[in-house]
Amino acid sequence: MSIDRQQKRKQNKQSLAQLTQKITVRKLALLVAGLLFHHFCIAQTGVIDSLKSALSTHKERDTVRLNLLLRISMAYYTGHPDSMMRYSRRALVLSEKIGSKKGKINALAQVGTSHMQRGNNDSALYYCNLSLILARKYKLRQLYPGKLNQLGTVYFRFNDYNRALKYYDSAMAEAKKNKDSGEVARAINNTAIIQFEQGDYISALKNHIAGLELNEKLGNLKDMETGLLNITNIFFRLGEFDKAKEYAARAMRMANRSGSTWSVISNYTTYAMIYNAERKYDSSLASLQKALVLARSINNAYLINLLNGNMAECYLNMDSLDAAYDLYSQSLKASERLDDMLGVAIAKGGLGQILVRRGNTRQGTEYMTEALDMLQANGLKEQAMAIADTLASFYARNGDYKRAYAYYRIRDAYADSLARDKSLADAQRMAYDYELQRREDRIDALEKDKRIERTYANRQQLLSAAALAGMLLAMVTAIMFFRNLRSVKRRNEIITRQKREIEQQAERLEQLNRFKDTTFSVLSHDLRSPVNALTGTMAMLDEGIITP
């Protein structure tokens, strides 16, 4: 091989490395966006079985049955769009029969979500929009934020970022009115994802950190995982790989604890992205293969397509052109089927690279030009800059300096607007502020714990003193009780003895009284005759019958 050809091949590989480093982030961002949408809908086999069991035993056609159908539908969110569709439609039919307005709105939203999972974006938009219309018609304001966030995510899938941002702004405003902090955090993070896609890294980082802090206060672990991954993406894009790994490691620890398949897939993809940028292609490919196994286990076509595209880029970096071409071709077909125009652009950009390297420059440059047009139309500055740089380098090597100059101007215009150096400094400052705040919060938490411990110790001392005083009081009371009992017993004995003595005295007096009566009766009888004789004699003397 000639020196010129070797040098050209080396330049191609360098351009490709730059391209793949920047484009891979797009796929991870879409993956993380999926995590933000109804983060609480992680399908657990045990949960689904228990819900189905409850549904089979509850035969009444009422709101309880309706809520069971809706919960089962949402449990199938990750990876089972057909099952989600089936149960959400059953819920929709039941809501209409029993006249549940809220149930109908939620069922329509879930039908729309299942269409989005299938890649039917038009149908998803119809049902999600209808659910919001009914919520407004019935003035169920508590439902507005969730439905607005959902519609924003549908438009994000459409790559219509302007409309998506408007819906996220409306969701945030309504959530603040309702004091719904969870939906506020979700709208903030959704907005940050679009800002990230458009290259506004500082705004994206500010919003992701704000969302992370809010979710920490709320204890929303799933959204905290997602926030950490989003911050990882930004530091990766800024070339701060150590900082990216730091946040990725924290996200992976949380994902392993929660057992969320989506989160683990996202973390494997994140590590693959970082390894790819560090040119550790074997490690990158191994991480992607682990993620792909999990994506297939939940049968999610959207994730499988994203991961196939990332693996294609990895194979391309490893000079495995045949494997890369096959996977890019699969990704192109899947992206067209899923109506993912950004996926189409990325696949065409990769195929264009391969075709140019194989010598088919006409078709290769056509593919890359189409990819650039699509990326520019959607405002994806970073990816568009990478494609423009690759095209400019190609035309410059082939002596077409006019076209090379045109693409260099496109590249430089995007490079100026991104202002990477300032973004990096601001990002580091904000990350430091966030870590500092976390440390201060931890110190406050420790101080609070110490205060609680001191209060608890004082309370324990008071309780111990009160318990001792209570025991002493109980002992004194017991002693007094027994002494009083003994005193009462003695008094009772004295009273009993005195009673017996009185009874004995009363009996003796009774005897004496009877003796007296008997004595006086005898004496009166014995004295009555002499007295009568004397009385008669005295009368006769008084009358002169007899003389003295």
Side-chain angles (χ1 to χ4, degrees):
M1 183 181 292
S2 66
I3 295 176
D4 290 341
R5 291 185 65 186
Q6 288 180 351
Q7 187 174 4
K8 286 183 178 180
R9 183 169 182 175
K10 184 177 179 181
Q11 290 173 342
N12 283 337
K13 289 177 70 176
Q14 290 174 347
S15 297
L16 177 63
Q18 294 173 356
L19 173 68
T20 53
Q21 175 181 333
K22 296 167 183 176
I23 290 183
T24 305
V25 188
R26 160 63 191 174
K27 293 180 177 283
L28 181 62
L30 291 173
L31 183 64
V32 174
L35 284 171
L36 276 173
F37 184 58
H38 295 299
H39 66 97
F40 47 87
C41 308
I42 303 301
Q44 306 264 345
T45 302
V47 173
I48 293 173
D49 290 342
S50 63
L51 289 173
K52 284 184 175 180
S53 177
L55 183 66
S56 64
T57 57
H58 189 86
K59 302 297 183 183
E60 295 293 326
R61 303 176 70 81
D62 55 11
T63 54
V64 175
R65 185 174 180 83
L66 174 60
N67 289 331
L68 284 170
L69 288 169
L70 288 170
R71 289 180 64 189
I72 294 172
S73 170
M74 291 309 297
Y76 278 121
Y77 172 76
T78 54
H80 301 84
D82 293 336
S83 297
M84 184 180 188
M85 175 70 75
R86 183 168 65 255
Y87 281 96
S88 60
R89 285 195 177 278
R90 287 175 61 183
L92 181 59
V93 171
L94 180 57
S95 67
E96 291 176 339
K97 286 185 178 180
I98 66 176
S100 173
K101 296 175 182 177
K102 183 177 178 181
K104 183 177 181 179
I105 291 167
N106 288 330
L108 285 168
Q110 291 187 25
V111 171
T113 301
S114 61
H115 276 297
M116 186 174 69
Q117 290 293 80
R118 286 173 159 184
N120 302 329
N121 288 342
D122 289 332
S123 298
L125 183 60
Y126 170 78
Y127 283 102
C128 292
N129 194 46
L130 183 57
S131 70
L132 177 61
I133 290 172
L134 290 180
R136 285 173 170 165
K137 178 181 178 181
Y138 300 132
K139 297 181 179 180
L140 298 175
R141 302 195 67 89
Q142 72 274 18
L143 300 180
Y144 292 1
K147 307 314 169 192
L148 288 164
N149 265 325
Q150 188 178 18
L151 266 170
T153 302
V154 175
Y155 279 113
F156 176 76
R157 287 286 185 90
F158 268 135
N159 305 313
D160 190 341
Y161 295 149
N162 290 332
R163 286 194 182 182
L165 283 172
K166 288 179 181 178
Y167 278 104
Y168 291 150
D169 288 342
S170 299
M172 195 182 307
E174 291 293 338
K176 287 179 179 178
K177 290 179 184 177
N178 295 344
K179 297 181 180 180
D180 187 346
S181 299
E183 291 295 342
V184 169
R186 196 162 295 120
I188 289 173
N189 281 315
N190 287 340
T191 300
I193 289 172
I194 293 180
Q195 291 169 335
F196 172 82
E197 288 297 305
Q198 293 178 330
D200 188 359
Y201 302 128
I202 295 306
S203 297
L205 188 59
K206 285 180 179 178
N207 279 320
H208 278 315
I209 290 176
L212 182 61
E213 291 173 341
L214 185 54
N215 282 315
E216 284 178 337
K217 292 178 182 178
L218 295 171
N220 292 339
L221 298 181
K222 179 54 57 183
D223 282 352
M224 286 170 63
E225 292 174 23
T226 306
L228 290 169
L229 282 173
N230 286 329
I231 294 172
T232 301
N233 293 345
I234 295 175
F235 282 115
F236 171 82
R237 183 67 70 86
L238 294 169
E240 284 289 294
F241 300 142
D242 290 338
K243 201 72 176 175
K245 287 179 182 178
E246 177 187 333
Y247 279 92
R250 288 170 59 183
M252 181 63 93
R253 287 194 295 270
M254 293 187 69
N256 287 330
R257 287 199 301 269
S258 68
S260 166
T261 302
W262 276 76
S263 295
V264 175
I265 291 172
S266 297
N267 277 282
Y268 278 134
T269 309
T270 300
Y271 276 111
M273 176 179 72
I274 297 171
Y275 289 138
N276 188 62
E278 293 176 332
R279 300 189 181 184
K280 299 176 181 178
Y281 301 127
D282 289 333
S283 298
S284 179
L285 189 60
S287 293
L288 289 171
Q289 287 171 339
K290 291 177 182 178
L292 187 60
V293 169
L294 291 175
R296 285 173 176 165
S297 72
I298 61 174
N299 193 30
N300 190 295
Y302 189 74
L303 286 180
I304 292 170
N305 182 43
L306 290 176
L307 293 167
N308 277 334
N310 284 351
M311 289 181 71
E313 293 167 3
C314 192
Y315 278 122
L316 189 54
N317 284 334
M318 298 169 70
D319 284 330
S320 299
L321 299 186
D322 292 338
Y325 188 86
D326 290 341
L327 285 171
Y328 269 131
S329 299
Q330 291 178 32
S331 180
L332 179 59
K333 291 178 182 178
S335 297
E336 290 173 343
R337 184 174 64 253
L338 294 170
D339 197 25
D340 179 9
M341 291 300 102
L342 268 298
V344 171
I346 292 169
K348 284 190 172 183
L351 287 170
Q353 289 277 338
I354 295 171
L355 291 169
V356 168
R357 288 173 64 175
R358 284 178 170 176
N360 189 349
T361 57
R362 185 186 61 79
Q363 188 177 5
T365 54
E366 284 179 2
Y367 269 173
M368 284 191 285
T369 302
E370 290 175 13
L372 178 60
D373 291 341
M374 296 173 70
L375 293 167
Q376 286 181 299
N378 287 279
L380 300 180
K381 300 177 183 178
E382 193 78 24
Q383 293 90 339
M385 183 179 70
I387 291 284
D389 182 62
T390 303
L391 285 168
S393 298
F394 168 76
Y395 285 120
R397 286 193 303 272
N398 286 275
D400 192 343
Y401 299 112
K402 184 176 180 180
R403 288 185 180 179
Y405 176 71
Y407 285 112
Y408 276 132
R409 288 189 61 186
I410 294 173
R411 182 203 64 183
D412 292 342
Y414 283 127
D416 291 341
S417 66
L418 291 173
R420 176 165 309 198
D421 292 338
K422 181 178 181 301
S423 297
L424 177 57
D426 290 343
Q428 290 172 332
R429 177 184 53 78
M430 281 188 293
Y432 173 78
D433 291 343
Y434 168 68
E435 294 297 337
L436 181 62
Q437 183 62 45
R438 280 176 57 85
R439 292 191 188 97
E440 290 175 351
D441 290 342
R442 283 197 292 269
I443 291 170
D444 291 341
L446 289 172
E447 289 295 327
K448 184 178 180 182
D449 290 342
K450 289 180 181 178
R451 288 196 298 271
I452 291 172
E453 288 175 0
R454 286 196 296 269
T455 303
Y456 179 78
N458 293 336
R459 187 178 298 172
Q460 288 296 107
Q461 290 177 353
L462 289 174
L463 289 174
S464 299
L468 180 61
M471 290 175 63
L472 292 173
L473 180 62
M475 290 175 62
V476 171
T477 303
I479 292 170
M480 292 178 65
F481 174 78
F482 284 114
R483 290 183 62 184
N484 183 63
L485 185 65
R486 194 162 52 244
S487 176
V488 169
K489 185 178 180 180
R490 283 199 300 267
R491 284 199 302 271
N492 287 339
E493 289 175 351
I494 293 171
I495 291 169
T496 301
R497 187 170 62 251
Q498 291 174 345
K499 181 181 178 183
R500 281 199 304 267
E501 291 175 355
I502 291 170
E503 287 175 350
Q504 290 174 355
Q505 290 174 358
E507 185 179 357
R508 188 176 180 185
L509 287 172
E510 182 68 23
Q511 290 175 353
L512 290 172
N513 193 48
R514 283 197 302 270
F515 174 77
K516 179 200 69 166
D517 290 341
T518 302
T519 301
F520 277 106
S521 176
V522 171
L523 288 173
S524 65
H525 182 271
D526 290 342
L527 290 174
R528 188 178 293 117
S529 295
V531 170
N532 286 336
L534 181 60
T535 301
T537 302
M538 293 301 291
M540 289 173 64
L541 182 62
D542 289 336
E543 290 176 0
I545 296 176
I546 59 173
T547 62

